[in-house]
Amino acid sequence: MTINNPYHQITEQTLTGEPLVIIIGGLLINDYPLRGIMEHFPHHRFIDINNNDYNQIKITLQTLTVNKQRQCVLVGYSTGGLIILKLLSETSLNIDKIILLNSTPYFLADGHGQGIKRPDFEKLKLRLIKQPFADFCSYFHQLCFYPQLLPKQTICTPSATTDTTQYWLDFLQHHDLRNVLAGVTQPTLLLYSELDVISQVNHFNDNRQLRVRILNDSTHGYPNQTKLLNYITEFLNA
């Protein structure tokens, strides 16, 4: 079976004996923070949210996992993690383990000092309307990488537009899925960057399926790749 996508083409036979790793990227930054994971699992499947809506992603994941014949690991970065939780609340996915990187079930700050305060989120959406799109992307990237400098590589996906960015900002604003994460039944690894100014750390100590790890010297858009891979390897081998 061959699965076609504008960005990846993966033949089922090439994955024999390896875990099926499905990665859902984030808003605008796309796959940049995930490069270490993608190199570690060369036959991964990557889903770019910047040219897909929620329903398209839902259909893709159901197609990929319905007849799986090996361990399936679902990885969500930032907005991608929220999408995974939304899917878990609506449908039964045939997956074995979940990894959420710099993602949170509720992106708006709720008094813990992390996350984006609601007035600031509204300003962010207004900036998207008023600014040239390239300028908005630059500002958004500064938030993601703060307090580190932006990398030299081009990280804004060409597939993103003002309309798709508005769509996903609305998605972030209107979903609070903390109850879904608290009740997840699959083993789940929550990875948070120490210096992240966007995502809130969630522990849910009463759910034994959740493991929380903090990535030191890391930001939302620039997680320490060595520590990231060490934690993921430990989790998958457990």
Side-chain angles (χ1 to χ4, degrees), residues 24-34 46-52 57 76-83 101-103 107 116 121 124-125 128 133 136-145 155-173 198 220-221:
I24 305 179
L27 179 62
L28 297 181
I29 290 181
N30 209 352
D31 62 358
Y32 181 83
L34 300 162
F46 179 76
I47 298 176
D48 177 8
I49 74 167
N50 295 285
N51 66 345
N52 288 283
I57 294 172
Y77 165 68
S78 192
T79 307
L82 191 68
I83 293 170
L101 170 61
N102 289 341
S103 186
F107 274 83
I116 304 176
F121 198 91
L124 184 66
K125 293 174 65 177
L128 174 63
F133 187 59
F136 176 84
C137 290
S138 178
Y139 174 77
F140 187 82
H141 293 156
Q142 289 178 41
L143 286 177
C144 292
F145 284 86
I155 55 177
C156 182
T157 172
S159 60
T161 65
T162 299
D163 289 341
T164 57
T165 303
Q166 181 68 60
Y167 173 88
W168 287 115
L169 287 177
D170 288 341
F171 185 89
L172 291 176
Q173 185 175 15
I198 294 178
H220 186 82

Side-chain angles (χ1 to χ4, degrees), residues 81-131:
L82 191 68
I83 293 170
I84 290 174
L85 295 178
K86 174 71 171 176
L87 288 165
L88 291 175
S89 72
E90 293 184 347
T91 186
S92 177
L93 293 175
N94 190 14
I95 56 176
D96 299 286
K97 291 186 176 183
I98 300 169
I99 299 171
L100 303 182
L101 170 61
N102 289 341
S103 186
T104 176
Y106 186 56
F107 274 83
L108 298 185
D110 59 2
H112 296 299
Q114 292 174 298
I116 304 176
K117 296 180 180 178
R118 188 174 296 274
D120 293 333
F121 198 91
E122 293 293 345
K123 291 178 182 178
L124 184 66
K125 293 174 65 177
L126 187 61
R127 181 186 288 267
L128 174 63
I129 298 173
K130 291 187 174 183
Q131 277 190 323

Side-chain angles (χ1 to χ4, degrees), residues 142-150 195-197 218-220:
Q142 289 178 41
L143 286 177
C144 292
F145 284 86
Y146 177 85
Q148 295 175 338
L149 297 176
L150 289 177
L195 303 176
D196 195 340
V197 297
S218 300
T219 66
H220 186 82

